[in-house]
PDB file of all heavy atoms in Angstrom:
ATOM      1  N   LEU P 114      21.754 244.497  13.634  1.00  0.00           N
ATOM      2  CA  LEU P 114      21.548 243.159  14.204  1.00  0.00           C
ATOM      3  C   LEU P 114      22.360 242.912  15.437  1.00  0.00           C
ATOM      4  O   LEU P 114      23.554 243.176  15.431  1.00  0.00           O
ATOM      5  CB  LEU P 114      21.829 242.083  13.188  1.00  0.00           C
ATOM      6  CG  LEU P 114      20.810 241.896  12.035  1.00  0.00           C
ATOM      7  CD1 LEU P 114      21.462 241.163  10.897  1.00  0.00           C
ATOM      8  CD2 LEU P 114      19.607 241.130  12.565  1.00  0.00           C
ATOM      9  N   PRO P 115      21.775 242.372  16.515  1.00  0.00           N
ATOM     10  CA  PRO P 115      22.595 241.972  17.635  1.00  0.00           C
ATOM     11  C   PRO P 115      23.351 240.712  17.299  1.00  0.00           C
ATOM     12  O   PRO P 115      22.966 239.964  16.378  1.00  0.00           O
ATOM     13  CB  PRO P 115      21.501 241.735  18.728  1.00  0.00           C
ATOM     14  CG  PRO P 115      20.278 241.322  17.947  1.00  0.00           C
ATOM     15  CD  PRO P 115      20.345 242.132  16.714  1.00  0.00           C
ATOM     16  N   SER P 116      24.388 240.432  18.020  1.00  0.00           N
ATOM     17  CA  SER P 116      25.111 239.175  17.785  1.00  0.00           C
ATOM     18  C   SER P 116      24.238 237.978  18.158  1.00  0.00           C
ATOM     19  O   SER P 116      23.438 238.027  19.130  1.00  0.00           O
ATOM     20  CB  SER P 116      26.382 239.169  18.606  1.00  0.00           C
ATOM     21  OG  SER P 116      26.082 239.234  20.019  1.00  0.00           O
ATOM     22  N   THR P 117      24.335 236.923  17.406  1.00  0.00           N
ATOM     23  CA  THR P 117      23.578 235.716  17.634  1.00  0.00           C
ATOM     24  C   THR P 117      24.425 234.517  17.205  1.00  0.00           C
ATOM     25  O   THR P 117      25.156 234.614  16.204  1.00  0.00           O
ATOM     26  CB  THR P 117      22.263 235.699  16.899  1.00  0.00           C
ATOM     27  OG1 THR P 117      21.566 234.476  17.109  1.00  0.00           O
ATOM     28  CG2 THR P 117      22.458 235.909  15.381  1.00  0.00           C
ATOM     29  N   ASP P 118      24.277 233.415  17.941  1.00  0.00           N
ATOM     30  CA  ASP P 118      24.946 232.180  17.524  1.00  0.00           C
ATOM     31  C   ASP P 118      23.910 231.084  17.250  1.00  0.00           C
ATOM     32  O   ASP P 118      24.258 229.915  17.091  1.00  0.00           O
ATOM     33  CB  ASP P 118      25.879 231.678  18.600  1.00  0.00           C
ATOM     34  CG  ASP P 118      25.224 231.505  19.979  1.00  0.00           C
ATOM     35  OD1 ASP P 118      24.021 231.687  20.060  1.00  0.00           O
ATOM     36  OD2 ASP P 118      25.925 231.167  20.969  1.00  0.00           O
ATOM     37  N   ALA P 119      22.639 231.507  17.118  1.00  0.00           N
ATOM     38  CA  ALA P 119      21.587 230.585  16.780  1.00  0.00           C
ATOM     39  C   ALA P 119      21.726 230.215  15.302  1.00  0.00           C
ATOM     40  O   ALA P 119      21.636 231.098  14.429  1.00  0.00           O
ATOM     41  CB  ALA P 119      20.212 231.144  17.057  1.00  0.00           C
ATOM     42  N   LEU P 120      21.943 228.938  14.972  1.00  0.00           N
ATOM     43  CA  LEU P 120      22.239 228.531  13.612  1.00  0.00           C
ATOM     44  C   LEU P 120      21.083 228.917  12.639  1.00  0.00           C
ATOM     45  O   LEU P 120      21.305 229.356  11.541  1.00  0.00           O
ATOM     46  CB  LEU P 120      22.504 227.032  13.542  1.00  0.00           C
ATOM     47  CG  LEU P 120      22.858 226.539  12.183  1.00  0.00           C
ATOM     48  CD1 LEU P 120      24.077 227.222  11.561  1.00  0.00           C
ATOM     49  CD2 LEU P 120      23.137 225.030  12.247  1.00  0.00           C
ATOM     50  N   ARG P 121      19.860 228.725  13.084  1.00  0.00           N
ATOM     51  CA  ARG P 121      18.737 229.029  12.195  1.00  0.00           C
ATOM     52  C   ARG P 121      18.731 230.524  11.830  1.00  0.00           C
ATOM     53  O   ARG P 121      18.480 230.888  10.705  1.00  0.00           O
ATOM     54  CB  ARG P 121      17.382 228.622  12.867  1.00  0.00           C
ATOM     55  CG  ARG P 121      17.246 227.112  13.071  1.00  0.00           C
ATOM     56  CD  ARG P 121      15.867 226.775  13.556  1.00  0.00           C
ATOM     57  NE  ARG P 121      14.899 226.941  12.518  1.00  0.00           N
ATOM     58  CZ  ARG P 121      14.569 226.025  11.608  1.00  0.00           C
ATOM     59  NH1 ARG P 121      15.210 224.819  11.601  1.00  0.00           N
ATOM     60  NH2 ARG P 121      13.676 226.241  10.693  1.00  0.00           N
ATOM     61  N   ASP P 122      18.988 231.358  12.814  1.00  0.00           N
ATOM     62  CA  ASP P 122      19.013 232.786  12.516  1.00  0.00           C
ATOM     63  C   ASP P 122      20.173 233.115  11.559  1.00  0.00           C
ATOM     64  O   ASP P 122      20.017 233.875  10.584  1.00  0.00           O
ATOM     65  CB  ASP P 122      19.285 233.567  13.831  1.00  0.00           C
ATOM     66  CG  ASP P 122      18.036 233.645  14.673  1.00  0.00           C
ATOM     67  OD1 ASP P 122      16.955 233.381  14.177  1.00  0.00           O
ATOM     68  OD2 ASP P 122      18.214 233.940  15.896  1.00  0.00           O
ATOM     69  N   LEU P 123      21.346 232.431  11.770  1.00  0.00           N
ATOM     70  CA  LEU P 123      22.502 232.708  10.934  1.00  0.00           C
ATOM     71  C   LEU P 123      22.227 232.295   9.515  1.00  0.00           C
ATOM     72  O   LEU P 123      22.657 232.986   8.518  1.00  0.00           O
ATOM     73  CB  LEU P 123      23.725 232.005  11.485  1.00  0.00           C
ATOM     74  CG  LEU P 123      24.220 232.531  12.832  1.00  0.00           C
ATOM     75  CD1 LEU P 123      25.320 231.570  13.352  1.00  0.00           C
ATOM     76  CD2 LEU P 123      24.734 233.927  12.699  1.00  0.00           C
ATOM     77  N   LEU P 124      21.545 231.206   9.310  1.00  0.00           N
ATOM     78  CA  LEU P 124      21.276 230.705   7.964  1.00  0.00           C
ATOM     79  C   LEU P 124      20.297 231.671   7.246  1.00  0.00           C
ATOM     80  O   LEU P 124      20.416 231.940   6.034  1.00  0.00           O
ATOM     81  CB  LEU P 124      20.702 229.323   7.988  1.00  0.00           C
ATOM     82  CG  LEU P 124      21.693 228.228   8.440  1.00  0.00           C
ATOM     83  CD1 LEU P 124      20.953 226.877   8.556  1.00  0.00           C
ATOM     84  CD2 LEU P 124      22.843 228.130   7.477  1.00  0.00           C
ATOM     85  N   VAL P 125      19.281 232.187   7.957  1.00  0.00           N
ATOM     86  CA  VAL P 125      18.324 233.134   7.351  1.00  0.00           C
ATOM     87  C   VAL P 125      19.072 234.425   7.000  1.00  0.00           C
ATOM     88  O   VAL P 125      18.897 234.943   5.888  1.00  0.00           O
ATOM     89  CB  VAL P 125      17.195 233.442   8.336  1.00  0.00           C
ATOM     90  CG1 VAL P 125      16.358 234.611   7.868  1.00  0.00           C
ATOM     91  CG2 VAL P 125      16.298 232.207   8.530  1.00  0.00           C
ATOM     92  N   LEU P 126      19.912 234.864   7.910  1.00  0.00           N
ATOM     93  CA  LEU P 126      20.649 236.108   7.634  1.00  0.00           C
ATOM     94  C   LEU P 126      21.603 235.947   6.473  1.00  0.00           C
ATOM     95  O   LEU P 126      21.830 236.929   5.715  1.00  0.00           O
ATOM     96  CB  LEU P 126      21.396 236.553   8.883  1.00  0.00           C
ATOM     97  CG  LEU P 126      20.505 236.941  10.068  1.00  0.00           C
ATOM     98  CD1 LEU P 126      21.340 237.154  11.350  1.00  0.00           C
ATOM     99  CD2 LEU P 126      19.761 238.187   9.781  1.00  0.00           C
ATOM    100  N   THR P 127      22.216 234.786   6.354  1.00  0.00           N
ATOM    101  CA  THR P 127      23.119 234.522   5.239  1.00  0.00           C
ATOM    102  C   THR P 127      22.401 234.657   3.899  1.00  0.00           C
ATOM    103  O   THR P 127      22.919 235.267   2.930  1.00  0.00           O
ATOM    104  CB  THR P 127      23.770 233.127   5.330  1.00  0.00           C
ATOM    105  OG1 THR P 127      24.531 233.081   6.543  1.00  0.00           O
ATOM    106  CG2 THR P 127      24.652 232.838   4.154  1.00  0.00           C
TER     107      THR P 127
END
Side-chain angles (χ1 to χ4, degrees):
L114 285 161
S116 60
T117 178
D118 57 2
L120 182 56
R121 296 187 70 86
D122 287 342
L123 293 173
L124 292 174
V125 169
L126 294 171
T127 297

